[in-house]
Amino acid sequence: MKTDRLPLVAGLVVLVLSLSHSGCSISSDSASSSSPSVPQFTLNNLDGKSVSMKDFGNKVVLIDFWATWCGPCREEIPDLNNLYSEYKSKGFEVIGISMDTEGTDVVKDFVREFRVDYSIVMGDETVAQEFGGILGLPTKFIVDRNGKIVKRLIGLRPPEEIEQAIKELI
């Protein structure tokens, strides 16, 4: 191996080891009896109004960290819209936490163009850290009716996988 690649390899080894010790996984994480409670965040929606996690009490909630520039995020929006439409009458909500840094106008235009039907709020590094850090977009958290995070899904996931997790909680 060339010595100019050693820093890259060392960095990858550190990343893999830190992921394995932090409980983070590239695949889905199932809940255990000690599932963490969802952070009680308050963020502004695209109209500047405060939206809190407590506003969605006693519902199954999918929290999606995403950004307008993220290809996989764009690809899954129709699936999230469909899931929201299908299950909202059964106590299901979707909260999209935009990690865009260009401001709400960019996100508003995107939401209009892609016809996003669910709640969108503007996120930041503080809320990302409250969720244990976001290693990639999209990252989704599925929260049960008791406010416990039961599943974390990193990356683009098949809609059937997300739907199955929701159906188990509704």
Side-chain angles (χ1 to χ4, degrees), residues 42-51 104 108 120-122:
T42 299
L43 299 168
N44 289 333
N45 68 13
L46 299 180
D47 296 324
K49 295 179 183 163
S50 293
V51 175
T104 58
K108 282 181 184 179
I120 299 292
V121 296
M122 297 301 293

Side-chain angles (χ1 to χ4, degrees), residues 5-166:
R5 292 186 185 165
L6 286 177
L8 175 61
V9 172
L12 288 173
V13 168
V14 169
L15 175 63
V16 169
L17 289 175
S18 66
L19 288 175
S20 66
H21 292 301
S22 69
C24 186
S25 171
I26 299 303
S27 63
S28 62
D29 293 334
S30 294
S32 66
S33 60
S34 61
S35 296
S37 294
V38 67
Q40 294 301 307
F41 61 84
T42 299
L43 299 168
N44 289 333
N45 68 13
L46 299 180
D47 296 324
K49 295 179 183 163
S50 293
V51 175
S52 296
M53 187 61 210
K54 66 182 176 186
D55 298 338
F56 301 94
N58 202 30
K59 292 189 177 186
V60 173
V61 180
L62 183 145
I63 299 168
D64 179 39
F65 283 83
W66 69 285
T68 59
W69 47 262
C70 167
C73 301
R74 291 170 169 254
E75 190 174 331
E76 77 177 0
I77 285 175
D79 296 330
L80 296 181
N81 273 337
N82 290 338
L83 289 169
Y84 177 63
S85 177
E86 175 76 22
Y87 294 103
K88 68 181 175 183
S89 66
K90 297 176 182 172
F92 174 66
E93 287 288 338
V94 177
I95 304 169
I97 300 180
S98 171
M99 297 304 287
D100 286 275
T101 58
E102 294 83 22
T104 58
D105 287 341
V106 170
V107 179
K108 282 181 184 179
D109 290 344
F110 180 91
V111 165
R112 242 185 325 272
E113 178 184 344
F114 282 79
R115 297 186 174 131
V116 178
D117 295 330
Y118 47 86
S119 300
I120 299 292
V121 296
M122 297 301 293
D124 56 26
E125 282 305 312
T126 300
V127 74
Q129 289 306 312
E130 289 175 3
F131 278 83
I134 302 301
L135 299 174
L137 297 176
T139 294
K140 292 165 282 306
F141 295 86
I142 298 177
V143 180
D144 69 11
R145 293 182 188 275
N146 298 315
K148 299 289 187 182
I149 295 173
V150 297
K151 194 169 282 274
R152 174 182 42 209
L153 303 167
I154 300 173
L156 181 63
R157 308 306 285 222
E160 300 82 15
E161 179 182 355
I162 301 168
E163 183 175 25
Q164 183 60 40
I166 293 165

